[in-house]
Amino acid sequence: YQHMIPVVGYGMKHEKFRDEIYCHIMKQINENPNNDSKEKYWMALMICFKCFPPKTLENYLDFFV
């Protein structure tokens, strides 16, 4: 998960990019045939939830999860 640390840090520092980060993670979950990799992206999504809230995607993320 170390590759996610810079992404999470960036989201914490730059609020305007939070939704974009969430979208990229969700895309990796949906379009990823590798279950191990997909599981890591689910963990990344949970880390983002704990570190910073989505800016405008709350309803979409609720439905996605």
Side-chain angles (χ1 to χ4, degrees):
Y1 305 105
Q2 290 205 13
H3 67 284
M4 285 304 300
I5 292 171
V7 173
V8 172
Y10 196 80
M12 291 175 70
K13 189 182 266 189
H14 303 283
E15 184 177 335
K16 65 182 178 181
F17 292 109
R18 292 176 181 177
D19 285 348
E20 188 71 25
I21 291 169
Y22 279 111
C23 286
H24 281 287
I25 293 172
M26 289 186 292
K27 182 179 179 183
Q28 290 298 320
I29 292 169
N30 277 336
E31 297 180 6
N32 197 333
N34 182 321
N35 285 333
D36 290 333
S37 180
K38 195 181 286 193
E39 185 176 321
K40 289 178 183 176
Y41 280 105
W42 275 109
M43 289 299 292
L45 190 65
M46 287 189 280
I47 292 167
C48 288
F49 282 145
K50 288 192 171 268
C51 292
F52 55 83
K55 192 168 181 199
T56 58
L57 293 176
E58 288 181 47
N59 291 335
Y60 183 79
L61 281 163
D62 189 42
F63 181 76
F64 179 81
V65 172

